[in-house]
């Protein structure tokens, strides 16, 4: 593998028809998880936006939460040790059980967002990698009085066929570590009937990660080359 991605955030939004959150259902799902073994989330809480399941934050920036909103289930793992495989399983199982409990016949959409960091191989500062090697801006940035603190590229890909997601992509420098490249993939999928949701929702999380692994990192590698070779084959 050319790069070792360091995942810093996993988010999944499973959109359903508008439905008033029912705390009793969420608490029942939480109790069910405890009876089956160590639960994915330790706490059940009821806040202004509705019921949620969560784990206590163990360090700055750590979020581990499933929120039951009026039109979607939002699952978040940020600065967490949870793997993509575990995240996919948690999201799919919870959404499937919630659909059963609330008689949800169809999920209208699923949005999967992955954020990760990778180290550049041939530049100490990813702003130079992006501005010089990837976007070939030359000296055009001299038009500004100050050098940019962040340099980035955004791309959007529409869905051309069934089960192919629309994808939004961000490739940016990372201010906390000049050598790290920040990558975000946001994949938006269409409807899925709740009866087959568990498998489909799981596969969609993995599908978004495959976009990162097979397409985004390949694109970066083609430009992350020794000086004078950027743009060649990786």
């Amino acid at each position: 593998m050319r790069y070792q991605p360091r995942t810093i955030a996993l988010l999944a939004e499973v959109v359903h028809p508008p439905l008033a959150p029912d705390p009793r259902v969420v608490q029942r799902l939480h109790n069910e998880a405890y009876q089956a073994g160590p639960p994915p989330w330790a706490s059940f809480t009821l806040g202004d936006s509705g019921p949620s399941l969560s784990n206590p934050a163990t360090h700055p920036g750590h979020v581990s939460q499933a929120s039951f909103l009026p039109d979607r289930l939002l699952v978040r793992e940020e600065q967490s040790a949870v793997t993509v495989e575990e995240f996919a399983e948690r999201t799919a199982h919870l959404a499937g059980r919630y659909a059963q409990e609330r008689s949800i016949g169809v999920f209208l959409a699923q949005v999967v967002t992955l954020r990760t960091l990778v180290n550049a191989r041939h530049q100490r500062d990813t702003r130079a990698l992006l501005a010089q090697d990837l976007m070939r801006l030359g000296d055009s940035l001299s038009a500004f009085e100050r050098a940019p603190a962040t340099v980035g590229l955004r791309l959007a890909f529409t869905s051309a066929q069934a089960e192919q997601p629309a994808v939004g992509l961000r490739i940016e420098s990372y201010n906390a570590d000049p050598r790290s490249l920040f990558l975000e993939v946001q994949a938006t999928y269409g409807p899925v009937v709740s009866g087959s949701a568990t498998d489909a929702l799981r596969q969609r999380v993995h599908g978004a990660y495959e976009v990162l692994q097979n397409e985004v990192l390949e694109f970066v590698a083609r430009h992350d080359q020794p000086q004078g070779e950027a743009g060649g084959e990786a």
Side-chain angles (χ1 to χ4, degrees):
M1 182 183 295
R2 298 187 182 94
Y3 300 98
Q4 296 292 332
R6 308 186 303 280
T7 301
I8 58 174
L10 297 164
L11 298 90
E13 300 173 65
V14 185
V15 182
H16 56 71
L19 190 67
D22 187 341
R24 296 168 300 176
V25 169
V26 178
Q27 190 165 34
R28 187 158 61 245
L29 294 177
H30 187 234
N31 294 338
E32 177 185 289
Y34 260 105
Q35 293 170 2
W41 298 279
S43 302
F44 163 79
T45 57
L46 181 59
D48 293 339
S49 60
S52 65
L53 304 175
S54 64
N55 290 313
T58 59
H59 51 272
H62 177 216
V63 177
S64 178
Q65 186 178 62
S67 302
F68 297 80
L69 305 176
D71 66 341
R72 70 195 59 205
L73 167 65
L74 173 60
V75 184
R76 299 170 58 199
E77 292 289 337
E78 300 184 39
Q79 299 290 349
S80 168
V82 170
T83 66
V84 174
E85 178 70 35
E86 291 167 336
F87 180 78
E89 185 59 38
R90 287 185 182 187
T91 300
H93 177 75
L94 186 63
R97 285 292 295 116
Y98 190 60
Q100 292 174 354
E101 291 289 331
R102 300 304 308 271
S103 299
I104 297 173
V106 62
F107 289 118
L108 304 177
Q110 180 181 3
V111 183
V112 180
T113 304
L114 311 173
R115 299 186 183 118
T116 191
L117 302 174
V118 296
N119 280 356
R121 296 180 300 173
H122 300 288
Q123 286 278 15
R124 292 185 178 275
D125 189 332
T126 53
R127 290 173 298 182
L129 168 64
L130 288 158
Q132 299 172 16
D133 300 334
L134 197 151
M135 291 188 285
R136 305 292 181 91
L137 295 179
D139 64 354
S140 60
L141 290 178
S142 64
F144 300 100
E145 292 185 358
R146 294 170 293 172
T150 302
V151 177
L153 172 69
R154 300 189 69 174
L155 299 171
F157 304 88
T158 58
S159 175
Q161 58 191 26
E163 275 307 300
Q164 184 182 47
V167 173
L169 171 62
R170 290 169 58 196
I171 304 175
E172 299 176 356
S173 58
Y174 189 59
N175 291 342
D177 178 9
R179 190 172 172 82
S180 290
L181 197 63
F182 171 86
L183 307 174
E184 180 187 88
V185 173
Q186 185 172 82
T188 302
Y189 294 85
V192 61
V193 295
S194 61
S196 59
T198 300
D199 287 341
L201 299 183
R202 183 189 300 110
Q203 291 168 3
R204 288 171 168 188
V205 172
H206 288 296
Y209 193 69
E210 288 173 3
V211 171
L212 170 69
Q213 288 276 26
N214 300 336
E215 300 180 34
V216 180
L217 293 183
E218 171 65 21
F219 174 75
V220 170
R222 293 189 179 194
H223 297 274
D224 184 11
Q225 297 288 324
Q227 194 72 18
E229 296 182 20
E233 290 298 323

